[in-house]
Amino acid sequence: MTETTVVHVMRHGEVHNPTGVLYGRIPDFHLSDLGRQMADRVAEHVKNRDIVHLVSSPLERAQETMEPIAKTFGLTPDIDERVIEAANLFEGKKFGVGDGALKNPSAWWLLRNPVKPSWGEPYQQIVRRMRDAIETARQKSAGHEALIVSHQLPIWIVRSAIEGRRLWHDPRKRQCSLASVTSFTFHGESIVSVGYSEPAKDLLPVKNPKKFVGGA
């Protein structure tokens, strides 16, 4: 009989970012108080799942999101560089429509190829590393469930690849809110379905329509 395995890939909670910069892989960006509430909410939401393996991005906001989940299951998460945020040349800058980095014409060259994209890590590279990490998690939790804490762009890109969508997209239309969970169900080695849930939906802040390139 073919075994069923589920790998959940969660986006971290809200980050304390009073200056509104694109923080990307910059260290020392931590969860806000609301972000910690989101992490607690997801830990409560998944407490009865058959989760036997945990994985976290090395960035602080991901590890802090994982803390209540790890405590709930009594597991020590693996830290995996493959599920880190995408590299982005706008890190440390404000980036929106009509403000921040886009006011400087020298930045426009970075936007020349949205298909790659020219401002950051190639989408295909993100797909490869995320799929490799998901496969490792599947193997380590075979017949059970695993949970990975990662970041919006890598989660959305790997989901898009698995579901057959083009990787070039409008960032405002990603279905990957803070503390959301995207779940990949495997029969044996094959993904047979993709699910999505928002356990902390009622805690989500109001969206900023000016936000464009990023990931969090």
Side-chain angles (χ1 to χ4, degrees), residues 11 14 17-23 93-100 102 152 170-174 176-178 204-216:
R11 184 184 174 192
E14 185 190 64
N17 182 19
T19 59
V21 299
L22 180 69
Y23 37 81
K93 298 179 175 62
K94 292 186 178 181
F95 194 101
V97 177
D99 66 1
L102 287 183
Q152 185 191 60
D170 182 343
R172 296 167 298 182
K173 296 181 179 180
R174 295 172 188 160
C176 190
S177 66
L178 291 164
L204 293 175
V206 176
K207 291 183 179 179
N208 180 359
K210 294 173 70 177
K211 188 165 181 174
F212 179 59
V213 176

Side-chain angles (χ1 to χ4, degrees), residues 19-176:
T19 59
V21 299
L22 180 69
Y23 37 81
R25 296 181 177 181
I26 299 172
D28 207 30
F29 275 88
H30 300 270
L31 292 185
S32 65
D33 290 342
L34 179 59
R36 292 186 181 278
Q37 290 180 46
M38 291 177 173
D40 289 340
R41 174 70 63 79
V42 177
E44 177 66 21
H45 178 76
V46 300
K47 68 180 183 181
N48 294 321
R49 304 292 306 195
D50 184 25
I51 293 173
V52 299
H53 180 64
L54 300 176
V55 180
S56 175
S57 157
L59 296 174
E60 290 98 336
R61 59 190 183 270
Q63 294 193 59
E64 291 165 1
T65 299
M66 179 62 83
E67 285 174 3
I69 299 169
K71 183 177 180 180
T72 294
F73 290 98
L75 297 172
T76 299
D78 289 350
I79 305 302
D80 193 336
E81 291 279 351
R82 294 176 297 180
V83 300
I84 198 170
E85 176 63 284
N88 193 308
L89 295 174
F90 288 100
E91 282 182 1
K93 298 179 175 62
K94 292 186 178 181
F95 194 101
V97 177
D99 66 1
L102 287 183
K103 285 186 175 181
N104 187 344
S106 67
W108 300 347
W109 173 247
L110 296 177
L111 303 176
R112 67 192 181 279
N113 183 2
V115 176
K116 186 178 180 179
S118 50
W119 58 81
E121 183 180 6
Y123 290 141
Q124 291 290 354
Q125 181 173 307
I126 297 171
V127 171
R128 285 193 295 270
R129 64 176 172 84
M130 288 293 291
R131 289 214 65 160
D132 285 349
I134 291 169
E135 173 59 18
T136 298
R138 181 197 68 80
Q139 293 175 13
K140 291 189 175 182
S141 61
H144 303 277
E145 301 181 31
L147 187 144
I148 299 170
V149 178
S150 184
H151 307 268
Q152 185 191 60
L153 179 57
I155 296 170
W156 180 247
I157 287 298
V158 74
R159 177 181 172 185
S160 295
I162 289 168
E163 294 185 324
R165 287 189 298 276
R166 71 181 188 188
L167 303 184
W168 174 36
H169 64 285
D170 182 343
R172 296 167 298 182
K173 296 181 179 180
R174 295 172 188 160
Q175 187 185 44
C176 190

